[in-house]
Amino acid sequence: MAVDGTTGRVTRRRLRTRANLLRAAFTVFAAKGFGHVSIEEICEAAGYTRGAFYSNFAGLDELFFALYAERAELIAEQVSGALAQDGPDLDVAAAVDRVADVLLLDRDWLLVKTDFLVHAARDPEVARGLLEHRARLRRTIADRLARARGHTALPAVLGGTEGAAHAVVAAYDGVTTQLLLDRDVTRARVWLKQLLTALLTG
């Protein structure tokens, strides 16, 4: 029992350390950019030693991908949750409203995400991981559209649910790029809603 209890405490402490490192890294990456951040800066921001860092991550690349994966999973859950509210049917227009309302439009996250995209573009191994995360998000959207008997048919020009999922992700990418420049979150949500409605309902 004592051994199990100690192990549990160690595991919880390690999980807490990892979460704190990720939170600190997010702040530092957003402020300075991936290519301008050192492990020491992240450790200082989190209040840990390099030993604590290396007990959780092999290096900055691994930490950066873990940070991206955490946020990408949150976005996938937001989209899935918004699309699931209609039950077996899917009112596309109403679902678009919900997705636009809940999607993560945080400028600091978008700065980190953009850094990650540029980093992945130069590293094929990182790119493979990023492509899989994006493919999972598209599958979430496509599967929901495919299951829906729906009130509104998808425009034929999209070529089916997979094409529609690609269009949704592309629209999100475009809106968030604009948001990085103009910093207008309210306008970004309105624009995203208009764009997705036009794409999915014609």
Side-chain angles (χ1 to χ4, degrees), residues 50-72:
R50 285 174 63 91
F53 179 95
Y54 283 114
S55 70
N56 287 277
F57 304 102
L60 284 176
D61 277 4
E62 184 179 321
L63 179 147
F64 202 40
F65 190 78
L67 185 61
Y68 180 88
E70 182 180 77
R71 293 300 175 108

Side-chain angles (χ1 to χ4, degrees), residues 21 24-29 31-46 48-50 53-54 59-61 63-64:
L21 284 166
F26 176 79
T27 301
V28 177
F29 284 141
K32 301 187 68 174
F34 175 71
H36 303 283
V37 172
S38 67
I39 290 173
E40 288 77 10
E41 287 175 294
I42 292 171
C43 290
E44 182 179 353
Y48 292 113
T49 63
R50 285 174 63 91
F53 179 95
Y54 283 114
L60 284 176
D61 277 4
L63 179 147
F64 202 40

Side-chain angles (χ1 to χ4, degrees), residues 105-127:
L105 290 176
D106 174 72
R107 193 167 180 274
D108 283 346
W109 156 240
L110 297 176
L111 287 168
V112 173
K113 174 190 169 186
T114 301
D115 269 348
F116 193 79
L117 287 170
V118 173
H119 179 54
R122 295 191 173 101
D123 186 324
E125 185 175 348
V126 177

Side-chain angles (χ1 to χ4, degrees), residues 55 77 101 142:
S55 70
E77 289 174 2
D101 285 340

Side-chain angles (χ1 to χ4, degrees), residues 82-106:
L83 292 176
Q85 292 184 30
D86 288 322
D89 289 319
L90 182 66
D91 182 334
V92 173
V96 163
D97 284 348
R98 290 195 302 270
V99 168
D101 285 340
V102 303
L103 264 176
L104 186 65
L105 290 176
D106 174 72

Side-chain angles (χ1 to χ4, degrees), residues 86-192:
D86 288 322
D89 289 319
L90 182 66
D91 182 334
V92 173
V96 163
D97 284 348
R98 290 195 302 270
V99 168
D101 285 340
V102 303
L103 264 176
L104 186 65
L105 290 176
D106 174 72
R107 193 167 180 274
D108 283 346
W109 156 240
L110 297 176
L111 287 168
V112 173
K113 174 190 169 186
T114 301
D115 269 348
F116 193 79
L117 287 170
V118 173
H119 179 54
R122 295 191 173 101
D123 186 324
E125 185 175 348
V126 177
R128 280 193 293 274
L130 177 56
L131 286 169
E132 174 51 36
H133 277 282
R134 289 173 68 82
R136 190 187 317 162
L137 177 58
R138 289 195 304 270
R139 286 195 299 271
T140 297
I141 298 168
D143 288 350
R144 184 63 185 97
L145 292 172
R147 290 198 315 271
R149 293 191 289 275
H151 304 298
T152 309
L154 294 172
V157 70
L158 294 176
T161 56
E162 289 187 12
H166 273 275
V168 168
V169 174
Y172 176 71
D173 286 342
V175 168
T176 53
T177 297
Q178 181 68 25
L179 175 58
L180 275 174
L181 300 175
D182 65 22
R183 303 171 183 245
D184 190 340
V185 176
T186 301
R187 176 57 187 155
R189 290 200 188 279
V190 171
W191 187 29
L192 182 61

